Amino acid sequence: MKRHSVEGRLLFGTGINGIGGGLWFTIWALYLTRVIGLPAGRLGLSLAVAGVVGIALSLPGGAIADRFGARRVALTINLVRAVACLAFLAVDGLVALTLVAAVFNGAQVVGSGVGNALITGLFDDERRMRMLARSRAAVHAGNTVGAGIGAAVLAVDQRWAYAAAIVFNAVTFVVNAGLLAGVPETPTRRRLSRWAGLRGPAIRDRRYLLAMAPITALTACWAVQSTGIPLWVVSSTSAPPVVAAGTVIVSSVLIAGLQSAVSARVLTIRQGAVAATLAGVVLAVSCLVFLPAAGKGAGWAAVIVLGGGLLHVVGELLFVSGQWAVSVGLMREEFRGEYLGVSAAMTGVVQEFAPGVVVGLVGGLGGVGWVAMAGFFVACAVPILPLAARAASGVGDAAGVAGAGGAGAGDGGGVGAGAVS
């Protein structure tokens, strides 16, 4: 199959899933509370269980992708998520929600690592970076469209409208599965590694784990975007709440338009480490920029928040590019599913706990909380370069072209999580 045909299938499927993800992310909370009638205060435990399931399955999922092929596993994950998505129509209590969300969100986290393995198996060198950057851009573009559809569903606010939206999201997974069926399979191994990856080379690669830990911790920036900024705007500034939504829209548009350009300049392990280090510094500065908004009038507060939001986008663009370059550059090709499964699991851990930490800091401590977040991002940035250099020396190629991984399995959003990473 021609390369442009493969790229077209992957990008179209990712974009379609992005629309479904943006739609679901917009409506899920009101659907579960207003339509199903579940108590909002008790949703947290169900969603936490779902997140833990995904984290636990990421490494075995990657090992299975190495053994049977990432395309085959990614296709299966899309079909599983389609069924789980439809199952939300039958949820009638917290137990049912926990089970359905565990499958739906769990498959999302596993699919992130498997999607990385799919792309890195089909493309090599700088083509990985170009393809995965374009994939992320497609997801964000789709999210923006899906959020607009979700807004219309919320305006109607009827059970049938929510049900139609859920069916539409399920269809996006089926469409993506159909597109993946026409994509070549990735190279496979003759057998699973020890304990389906739980005792495989990736989880025992200490240099890889140490190098990725501070970079992955920067994933907390997504919680700042989805939780910290809206909370700060509403609770501590005189800016209108719509400003928080504006930062999300601006972020999606800029990521869709700029991720490819930024990633094209971050191809080696060292370049990735430098980009991630700069990301930590820029994210720290963005946190401090939000502080003066608390003492200004509505107009200036809005300008300050939007300015901080723009800096945050710059940090996120650098962080994602750096994470891709380092994680894929350090992995062993024959175990790419396991290595990228480890990366997905580490990212899942941060996504699981970061929102609560951000709420506690920004909501509980106000300005002091923003200073603490800035300190956290700087602390993440400091060890990245030496740890990445040490890990690169272990694979004998600190300057080799790394490429990147991405969400090739598609993303239709997770319950209680951002629709895209």
Side-chain angles (χ1 to χ4, degrees):
M1 180 180 293
K2 294 182 179 180
R3 191 177 71 206
H4 69 270
S5 177
V6 174
E7 291 180 356
R9 283 177 171 271
L10 293 175
L11 289 174
F12 185 68
T14 300
I16 289 293
N17 270 178
I19 295 175
L23 171 58
W24 176 244
F25 181 60
T26 304
I27 69 167
W28 74 267
L30 288 182
Y31 171 73
L32 294 176
T33 55
R34 288 169 61 87
V35 178
I36 303 301
L38 299 178
R42 297 183 182 180
L43 294 180
L45 179 60
S46 294
L47 302 181
V49 171
V52 169
V53 169
I55 294 168
L57 293 178
S58 290
L59 191 52
I64 292 171
D66 286 337
R67 170 63 181 86
F68 297 102
R71 181 198 62 84
R72 185 176 291 110
V73 176
L75 189 156
T76 302
I77 288 173
N78 272 274
L79 295 178
V80 168
R81 295 200 75 200
V83 174
C85 185
L86 292 175
F88 280 110
L89 295 172
V91 166
D92 59 359
L94 290 173
V95 174
L97 171 63
T98 302
L99 294 174
V100 173
V103 176
F104 189 68
N105 285 13
Q108 178 188 16
V109 178
V110 176
S112 175
V114 173
N116 292 343
L118 175 62
I119 296 300
T120 56
L122 293 177
F123 302 90
D124 55 20
D125 298 332
E126 69 276 3
R127 286 178 295 178
R128 290 174 172 174
M129 180 63 77
R130 183 182 68 234
M131 181 59 196
L132 272 302
R134 292 175 66 190
S135 293
R136 188 167 192 255
V139 170
H140 276 271
N143 285 165
T144 303
V145 174
I149 299 174
V153 172
L154 296 181
V156 174
D157 197 23
Q158 297 291 325
R159 178 183 285 269
W160 66 264
Y162 290 104
I166 290 172
V167 172
F168 176 84
N169 192 22
V171 169
T172 67
F173 293 116
V174 176
V175 171
N176 195 25
L179 291 167
L180 288 172
V183 171
E185 186 56 272
T186 56
T188 59
R189 290 177 51 79
R190 296 183 63 179
R191 63 179 183 176
L192 286 172
S193 62
R194 297 176 62 186
W195 296 10
L198 296 178
R199 286 282 294 167
I203 197 65
R204 292 183 289 134
D205 190 338
R206 294 183 180 179
R207 291 190 178 191
Y208 179 85
L209 296 177
L210 287 173
M212 291 305 301
I215 299 176
T216 304
L218 295 175
T219 302
C221 70
W222 296 336
V224 170
Q225 175 74 75
S226 64
T227 305
I229 297 176
L231 183 60
W232 179 248
V233 168
V234 172
S235 65
S236 301
T237 79
S238 57
V242 70
V243 171
T247 63
V248 175
I249 295 172
V250 169
S251 175
S252 292
V253 171
L254 290 179
I255 289 172
L258 298 177
Q259 187 67 73
S260 294
V262 174
S263 298
R265 291 164 174 77
V266 185
L267 300 176
T268 68
I269 296 172
R270 177 168 176 78
Q271 288 171 345
V274 170
T277 300
L278 290 175
V281 174
V282 173
L283 289 169
V285 173
S286 74
C287 290
L288 299 179
V289 168
F290 292 122
L291 284 172
K296 303 295 183 181
W300 277 112
V303 170
I304 291 170
V305 170
L306 289 173
L310 287 174
L311 272 178
H312 185 276
V313 173
V314 173
E316 184 178 346
L317 289 167
L318 289 169
F319 150 63
V320 171
S321 297
Q323 184 184 42
W324 287 345
V326 175
S327 64
V328 181
L330 293 176
M331 75 180 186
R332 291 172 57 182
E333 286 289 341
E334 68 271 30
F335 295 102
R336 59 185 171 274
E338 289 188 34
Y339 272 84
L340 299 174
V342 168
S343 181
M346 295 172 71
T347 299
V349 170
V350 179
Q351 287 182 295
E352 183 78 8
F353 297 104
V357 173
V358 171
V359 168
L361 290 176
V362 177
L365 301 179
V368 176
W370 280 121
V371 174
M373 285 299 305
F376 168 79
F377 285 127
V378 170
C380 291
V382 169
I384 290 175
L385 274 169
L387 288 174
R390 180 173 181 270
S393 68
V395 297
D397 185 15
V401 174
D411 191 338
V415 186
V420 60
S421 62

